[in-house]
């Protein structure tokens, strides 16, 4: 029963992150669509490139294409960055202000102690394990750094698994809890009581 509560709390918190990722993906898609369908702006920029190209039509069109591609890449990278920031703020604000994330609150769990420095460290490690390292791997991939991207993906998987082992092994503290000096306990359990174990997400 305890294992199920911890797992469900993590899934609720991760579902919120996934929802944020979906919203950012939709927003990014609309930004890119608006960019490539803005005919007047494209015509103006293309005309300016052609006029200043000294007759190098191929070079002018290549410059326009690369400029658009760079903007698309920037939009995607900004979305990944926003997801990392949103995840961190969610984790940090919930722990610092309430002592629990939404998932933990719904499942009767809380994080102790809830001091600002503990909340900050826990949010940072949780965000890194669940989102940030994966986001970095994706950014490296779209930047054509394939080898480095593969290594970072492997690191992301290892970090995620190490932090998530508490779902499988009750009573063990997650990596986030160990580095932050926190524990996850029952909502009505005293802080000095033995912890019920930590949850890998938030």
């Amino acid at each position: 029963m305890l294992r199920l509560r911890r797992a469900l709390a993590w899934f609720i918190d991760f579902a919120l992150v996934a929802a944020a990722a979906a919203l950012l993906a939709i927003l990014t898609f609309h930004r890119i669509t608006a960019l490539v369908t803005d005919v007047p702006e494209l015509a103006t920029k293309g005309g300016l490139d052609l006029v200043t190209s000294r007759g190098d039509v191929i070079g002018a069109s290549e410059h326009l294409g690369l400029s658009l591609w760079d903007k698309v890449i920037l939009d995607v990278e900004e979305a990944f960055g926003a997801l990392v920031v949103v995840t961190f703020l969610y984790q940090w604000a919930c722990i610092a202000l309430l002592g629990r994330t939404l998932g933990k609150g719904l499942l009767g769990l809380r994080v102790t102690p809830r001091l600002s420095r503990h909340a900050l460290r826990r949010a940072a490690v949780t965000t890194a394990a669940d989102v940030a390292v994966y986001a970095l791997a994706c950014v490296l991939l779209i930047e054509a750094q394939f080898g480095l991207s593969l290594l970072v993906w492997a690191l992301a998987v290892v970090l995620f698994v190490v932090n998530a082992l508490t779902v499988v092994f009750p009573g063990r503290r997650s990596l986030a809890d160990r580095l932050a000096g926190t524990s996850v306990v029952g909502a009505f359990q005293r802080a000095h009581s033995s912890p019920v174990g930590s949850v890998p997400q938030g």
Side-chain angles (χ1 to χ4, degrees):
M1 181 62 182
L2 176 59
R3 182 182 303 181
L4 180 61
R5 287 170 58 201
R6 296 164 65 203
L8 288 176
W10 181 84
F11 276 116
I12 291 171
D13 288 328
F14 197 79
L16 292 175
V17 173
L23 290 175
L24 285 168
I26 293 171
L27 177 61
T28 302
F29 174 78
H30 285 296
R31 290 180 66 188
I32 294 172
T33 301
L35 176 66
V36 298
T37 57
D38 190 350
V39 177
E41 182 179 347
L42 289 177
T44 300
K45 182 169 180 53
L48 182 61
D49 287 344
L50 184 59
V51 168
T52 58
S53 69
R54 296 182 179 181
D56 185 5
V57 178
I58 296 177
S61 60
E62 182 180 5
H63 181 268
L64 177 61
L66 289 175
S67 177
L68 286 173
W69 176 251
D70 288 342
K71 288 182 179 180
V72 169
I73 294 298
L74 181 60
D75 286 345
V76 173
E77 291 177 349
E78 286 178 351
F80 279 118
L83 179 62
V84 172
V85 171
V86 167
T87 303
F88 172 80
L89 290 177
Y90 167 70
Q91 294 288 333
W92 171 74
C94 286
I95 300 302
L97 299 177
L98 305 174
R100 69 200 73 187
T101 58
L102 179 61
K104 287 180 178 56
L106 291 175
L107 273 298
L109 302 170
R110 65 185 174 89
V111 177
T112 183
R114 51 181 276 195
L115 300 176
S116 295
R117 65 179 183 274
H118 295 289
L120 190 66
R121 288 199 299 266
R122 195 177 198 281
V125 177
T126 300
T127 301
D130 288 352
V131 175
V133 183
Y134 285 104
L136 177 59
C138 291
V139 168
L140 289 171
L141 182 62
I142 62 177
E143 290 286 354
Q145 301 291 328
F146 301 112
L148 187 56
S149 175
L150 184 61
L151 290 176
V152 175
W153 268 103
L155 174 63
V157 171
V158 170
L159 185 59
F160 182 87
V161 170
V162 168
N163 193 50
L165 282 178
T166 53
V167 173
V168 181
F169 302 106
R172 293 190 178 183
R173 299 167 70 200
S174 67
L175 179 64
D177 282 314
R178 290 180 183 278
L179 295 179
T182 58
S183 295
V184 176
V185 299
F188 303 106
Q189 187 174 348
R190 294 181 181 179
H192 63 266
S193 302
S194 59
V196 299
S198 52
V199 185
Q201 166 78 12

